[in-house]
Amino acid sequence: MRRVAIAGVGMYPFGRHGELTATEMGATALRAALAQAGIRRGEFQATFCATAYGGVAAGHRVLSSLALTGGPIIDVEAGCASGGAALGLGAAAIESGQYDTVIVLGIEKMPKGIIRSSFFPSWMEAAGLAATPAYFALRAQRLMIEQGITSQDLADLVVKNRANGVLNPNAMFRSAVTREQVLGSTLVCDPLHLWMLCSPNEGAAAVVLQRADLAPAASVRLLATALRSHLPGSVLDESTPLAGLSADQITPPSTLAADAAYEEAGLGPTDLDVIECQDTDAARELLTWPELGLCDGGQQPQILAEGSFALGGRLPVNPSGGLLSKGEPLGASALGQVVELVHQLRGDAGPRQVESARVGLAHTIGRGANASVTILQAAEQGALGGR
Amino acid sequence: MNTPRECHSAILSIGVAAPSLRLPAAQVAAGWGRAGGRGQVAVCSPSEDALTLAWLAARRALDSASIPPEEIGGIWWGCTRAPFAEGPSLSFLGAALRLQTNSEAALLSGSPHAGIDALLAADDAITSGRVRTALVIASDSILPALGSGLEAASGAGAVAVLLSAEGPALLGQVTTQWSPVLDRYRGDLETETREVYDGRLFREQVFLPLCQTVGSALTADPSSRWSLPDPDGRLGRTLGERLGSVKVVSTAARSELGDTGAAAPLLGLAAAMGDPGTLIAVGFGGGRATAISIQINAPVPGSSLVEQHLSGGQEVSYTEALRCRGQLSASGETVEMAVPPGSAMFVRGSHEMLALLGARCLACATVNTPPNVHPTCISCGAIEFEIVPLPLHGTVQTFVVNQTMPAPFVAPLPLIVLDLEDGSRISVQGASDGSDLHIGVAVDLQLRRYALERGVPIYGYAALVSTASENTIERPSA
């Protein structure tokens, strides 16, 4: 268990913000987090800034604009898990005794349209083998045949998350949708329709980490952070290139990260009250549930039908509306999940509050492949049973 | 006096390939506001060209002879328009066919006579003893001038034969006649083939005299079967009558595919190679005519598959054909892909892409692919490999059909993750519209043109659902 607490959080809503720069969005989020934590200039020792498209010294620009430079500022890139990676580095630095108070920041302003990156070998792009949504669809097709998921289930997942997004002022899409509307949206690549895909966008999130004994008593505790990459040979784990081994028993990075985080936190999936997980596309979230041990593969349709993972259900997943409602600014998305969980665990999440949430888990998976899992606990929680 | 000389090599096997689209002549006529139009021509889809057709015909010839590509001593390719007007067309084809990189090779071009040129050059190499087994390929995909009569006459197709010193079919007499006249042609910097200036002048003063001269110079009997050039859909018949109402067997291929240019002479005989007797092919182009006789002593392996491999094809409208031929394209920019095709990435990766190579770990036998991005084994971390060809068939692990693609790609475009028999998993494009795909289905890989990137063709492998017959020739029972 980590002796680290989250003393304050801040966010710049995810969306499209015209000419506003990532630096400006980051400054707004950071100012809010510092104010909440009561931390001023000179009262923190280091900054870890997650960004994938921010360019050179992106974190420096944010801290410069607030006249907060002087300490170490380190940019962190780990694809969709960049925020989780930065959080882990910040927490480890505090645990090691190097620092007492650390800023973890995520900023992003993504180009519109299909994500282009330097990630795939150029010949694959030239050959049309590297288009992102197609890649998600390959995995979705496999999930459908292996775990009995239907197009309706994919649509229902979107319905669930978009319903939550209606209640989130920080979300990009704040209207509820129906299964018919989702299935009626443009077919991008079978089985994925446009509304089953999250939008790359812009935004920022900031977290102030502090040694637990120095943080305010009401602070949420950081129980575990884990970052893992794909094992060699796997093909559909967001790894490169799209070639490898035909073995299907390679443990996915999300499971590797989750197992490590559960062990570190001394608890298991049954101890969780609220989840924020990667829903880059509808199938991604349905695949994530069994990867995190939240259910067995094949149980997803029943869970959707019974509303078990909806707000008000047994284990609400993505009460924020998820990336399907918020969009995904890569560097900021994982910290956006942490911000949401902090609100949930402090009990100030407003109309989307998960009742008596005590333990929350945030999960991202993306390019690399990189998977991060973060487990948080509300303040004044008694000892957990663990596993 | 035109006295034939003798060839000395023999045909071991034959393979043919046709593109996947068919354009009815009536559609062309309607496109120009005219009624009528008889017959059809074959048209390449955006993923096909003279090189991919050549590859497929050659693969089939190799499979029918059960000869591995490394035993081929040389490749002779006749093609009016290779994909690079100047460039590595031949080495691309040789790599994709997995030939030895020190094998003899020549690309014959310049006119539809190039197919005959390739056959004769390979015969010389066999006769002289330089090469034990030669691969002769003739392929073409003519781009006809808009509004010309060629639009309803020019097709596409490929034929390949393996030559050696001995075989079931012997090349016999050959004779040539030429005349410095302007027939159909394409000038430098021109992309489309021009029609002849005056049809009657061409027929009476150029085509018929040259072809008659060479045809009548060979020793033939009434049972001889002929393949005659037929650039417009009528001249072949007229020539047959002038030669003495000879038995013409090239009509079926001509009706199915149209004029296949350099491929026409041998393609016209391909199906007939299953029956013993004398065959005569007449090739014409660039003011040159050549006749060659072939004595069939036993059915040539591959000949029984010819009819099936030439038939079929999906009918397309005139506008679709124009789009496929690149003669109708939307204005505006296409999406520029990551790197120029001449860059280091392509230079290092092109051989393994064209030949579909993997790297087998010497320590644990895991096949790593593509080799140049796997300097270290994904299973055990060892660093010593042998380069191996990957199987050209596998099973669909998962797939997706892209419904929207930025130009230069064309939707629907299937993307397939494929499990190969050697335990490797690769991703390829699909060659169909994807409606026939499902997880677990067996597919074969064919060389296809993935894109034209900054004017340069990019080739790779595309998957097609296996047919029983393809499986038969891919895995000879012998």
Side-chain angles (χ1 to χ4, degrees):
Chain A
M1 191 179 295
R2 298 206 163 185
R3 297 173 301 278
V4 178
I6 295 176
V9 293
M11 201 162 160
Y12 196 94
F14 294 176
R16 284 292 177 192
H17 304 301
E19 297 303 309
L20 205 64
T21 64
T23 304
E24 292 165 310
M25 292 184 265
T28 302
L30 177 53
R31 214 170 359 216
L34 289 172
Q36 201 172 76
I39 296 292
R40 289 170 299 182
R41 176 151 62 165
E43 294 179 347
F44 64 91
Q45 293 86 44
T47 302
F48 295 90
C49 177
T51 184
Y53 291 79
V56 172
H60 289 70
R61 276 177 265 155
V62 176
L63 273 79
S64 287
S65 75
L66 298 175
L68 293 173
T69 52
I73 306 167
I74 301 153
D75 288 351
V76 179
E77 193 280 310
C80 302
S82 298
L87 195 73
L89 291 171
I94 290 174
E95 285 208 311
S96 73
Q98 188 178 13
Y99 307 126
D100 292 334
T101 305
V102 163
I103 290 170
V104 182
L105 185 62
I107 60 171
E108 209 69 88
K109 188 177 183 76
M110 308 212 18
K112 287 192 175 186
I114 288 172
I115 300 174
R116 303 290 299 273
S117 73
S118 56
F119 181 73
F120 281 108
S122 43
W123 67 266
M124 292 187 76
E125 287 208 327
L129 294 175
T132 303
Y135 174 78
F136 297 155
L138 289 171
R139 199 171 45 208
Q141 292 269 61
R142 203 61 212 168
L143 174 74
M144 290 172 83
I145 199 167
E146 284 174 359
Q147 301 189 13
I149 308 292
T150 64
S151 296
Q152 284 78 13
D153 297 328
L154 296 175
D156 289 351
L157 188 282
V158 179
V159 171
K160 168 183 86 76
N161 287 2
R162 290 287 296 270
N164 297 349
V166 171
L167 307 172
N168 184 356
N170 284 329
M172 183 180 187
F173 301 109
R174 299 199 58 200
S175 55
V177 297
T178 64
R179 177 197 277 186
E180 291 68 33
Q181 284 175 315
V182 175
L183 292 174
S185 65
T186 308
L187 181 63
V188 177
C189 29
D190 206 16
L192 298 179
H193 292 252
L194 189 61
W195 289 11
M196 295 177 185
L197 297 162
C198 83
S199 301
N201 63 355
E202 309 165 12
V207 171
V208 178
L209 292 183
Q210 208 160 24
R211 232 173 66 192
D213 57 330
L214 299 178
S219 298
V220 167
R221 292 284 293 269
L222 183 62
L223 293 189
T225 68
L227 180 71
R228 290 294 185 273
S229 58
H230 71 284
L231 291 170
S234 64
V235 171
L236 292 180
D237 277 335
E238 311 242 1
S239 50
T240 178
L242 277 173
L245 302 174
S246 58
D248 284 316
Q249 308 310 323
I250 301 170
T251 306
S254 294
T255 301
L256 297 174
D259 288 350
Y262 290 141
E263 188 180 347
E264 186 185 6
L267 50 74
T270 53
D271 299 311
L272 303 173
D273 302 312
V274 56
I275 310 278
E276 284 281 310
C277 80
Q278 185 90 19
D279 56 338
T280 337
D281 64 276
R284 179 64 258 179
E285 178 171 332
L286 294 176
L287 179 61
T288 297
W289 294 354
E291 286 183 350
L292 296 179
L294 308 182
C295 68
D296 292 334
Q299 289 182 326
Q300 297 97 325
Q302 190 190 343
I303 288 169
L304 284 168
E306 293 172 353
S308 309
F309 289 1
L311 261 183
R314 164 167 67 85
L315 176 61
V317 178
N318 283 325
S320 69
L323 306 179
L324 288 168
S325 299
K326 293 186 293 186
E328 188 188 18
L330 284 194
S333 70
L335 292 174
Q337 295 177 334
V338 170
V339 171
E340 173 69 15
L341 290 183
V342 166
H343 286 302
Q344 293 287 353
L345 298 175
R346 292 197 308 217
D348 59 9
R352 61 183 193 283
Q353 177 67 47
V354 174
E355 213 158 311
S356 20
R358 305 297 301 168
V359 180
L361 179 149
H363 157 265
T364 62
I365 170 77
R367 278 293 135 71
N370 286 298
S372 72
V373 170
T374 303
I375 299 177
L376 304 176
Q377 183 186 35
E380 298 163 32
Q381 171 84 351
L384 283 157
R387 290 197 149 180
Chain B
M1 184 63 195
N2 195 311
T3 308
R5 64 180 176 88
E6 291 288 330
C7 292
H8 298 283
S9 60
I11 294 175
L12 290 176
S13 69
I14 187 158
V16 299
S20 54
L21 307 178
R22 300 289 184 274
L23 170 65
Q27 291 269 2
V28 180
W32 293 99
R34 293 191 300 265
R38 284 182 300 113
Q40 64 177 21
V41 295
V43 176
C44 284
S45 75
S47 73
E48 296 167 327
D49 65 11
L51 188 144
T52 67
L53 293 176
W55 178 89
L56 187 55
R59 281 278 312 169
R60 286 169 170 164
L62 287 164
D63 286 339
S64 286
S66 297
I67 289 182
E70 57 268 25
E71 287 182 18
I72 300 302
I75 173 177
W76 282 263
W77 180 21
C79 182
T80 309
R81 48 171 82 223
F84 293 91
E86 178 178 340
S89 301
L90 186 60
S91 50
F92 272 33
L93 178 59
L97 287 170
R98 298 168 164 174
L99 302 186
Q100 299 277 11
T101 48
N102 61 354
S103 61
E104 206 170 314
L107 173 60
L108 296 306
S109 195
S111 85
H113 196 270
I116 291 285
D117 294 336
L119 181 68
L120 296 179
D123 175 70
D124 284 345
I126 298 288
T127 304
S128 71
R130 293 204 312 279
V131 168
R132 184 190 294 272
T133 309
L135 177 58
V136 179
I137 309 172
S139 71
D140 250 336
S141 175
I142 311 290
L143 190 64
L146 292 175
S148 73
L150 295 178
E151 281 193 296
S154 297
V159 58
V161 293
L162 279 177
L163 291 189
S164 193
E166 291 172 10
L170 303 175
L171 301 192
Q173 295 178 317
V174 61
T175 186
T176 290
Q177 189 74 27
W178 56 262
S179 168
V181 290
L182 194 61
D183 51 26
R184 70 180 203 197
Y185 73 103
R186 176 165 62 101
D188 196 17
L189 302 181
E190 292 183 350
T191 55
E192 297 169 355
T193 300
R194 295 200 205 191
E195 205 170 7
V196 295
Y197 172 68
D198 179 311
R200 190 170 188 283
L201 185 70
F202 172 71
R203 183 178 74 226
E204 298 299 334
Q205 302 290 315
V206 179
F207 181 81
L208 290 173
L210 286 172
C211 291
Q212 270 180 268
T213 302
V214 296
S216 54
L218 296 196
T219 310
D221 60 58
S223 68
S224 299
R225 290 159 292 160
W226 294 67
S227 169
L228 296 178
D230 191 359
D232 68 350
R234 292 186 299 273
L235 285 168
R237 187 175 161 189
T238 309
L239 177 59
E241 287 164 2
R242 298 270 178 105
L243 285 169
S245 295
V246 297
K247 200 170 172 182
V248 181
V249 293
S250 51
T251 318
R254 177 64 178 75
S255 305
E256 179 68 34
L257 305 180
D259 177 21
T260 53
L266 280 176
L267 200 53
L269 291 183
M273 289 190 188
D275 299 313
T278 302
L279 303 180
I280 298 173
V282 177
F284 175 85
R288 300 160 67 207
T290 296
I292 182 166
S293 71
I294 301 169
Q295 184 63 39
I296 310 291
N297 295 322
V300 174
S303 56
S304 62
L305 296 167
V306 168
E307 194 180 330
Q308 179 203 332
H309 286 158
L310 295 187
S311 64
Q314 183 195 339
E315 189 175 309
V316 289
S317 68
Y318 182 50
T319 46
E320 283 173 280
L322 289 178
R323 271 208 307 275
C324 291
R325 286 168 165 168
Q327 291 172 305
L328 180 66
S329 58
S331 62
E333 296 292 313
T334 57
V335 172
E336 197 165 274
M337 287 301 152
V339 287
S343 64
M345 188 71 216
F346 277 97
V347 170
R348 293 185 194 126
S350 80
H351 199 133
E352 59 196 42
M353 226 177 128
L354 286 164
L356 197 65
L357 301 175
R360 182 159 56 209
C361 175
L362 294 182
C364 76
T366 296
V367 175
N368 293 259
T369 182
N372 83 69
V373 298
H374 284 298
T376 305
C377 176
I378 51 178
S379 284
C380 73
I383 55 167
E384 287 188 293
F385 302 95
E386 61 172 334
I387 297 297
V388 293
L390 300 182
L392 291 179
H393 34 80
T395 309
V396 173
Q397 196 254 345
T398 184
F399 74 99
V400 60
V401 182
N402 287 290
Q403 301 296 340
T404 51
M405 288 298 290
F409 300 105
V410 181
L413 178 69
L415 173 57
I416 300 171
V417 173
L418 200 59
D419 283 346
L420 303 178
E421 288 168 353
D422 63 6
S424 51
R425 179 172 286 175
I426 65 169
S427 49
V428 295
Q429 288 183 2
S432 69
D433 65 3
S435 57
D436 55 348
L437 291 173
H438 59 88
I439 288 174
V441 73
V443 293
D444 294 315
L445 293 177
Q446 285 188 4
L447 187 75
R448 288 296 177 110
R449 194 180 73 183
Y450 270 8
L452 263 177
E453 167 72 6
R454 303 176 210 201
V456 176
I458 307 290
Y459 296 95
Y461 285 83
L464 289 105
V465 172
S466 299
T467 59
S469 63
E470 289 290 344
N471 284 343
T472 308
I473 68 155
E474 291 279 331
R475 305 176 188 83
S477 54

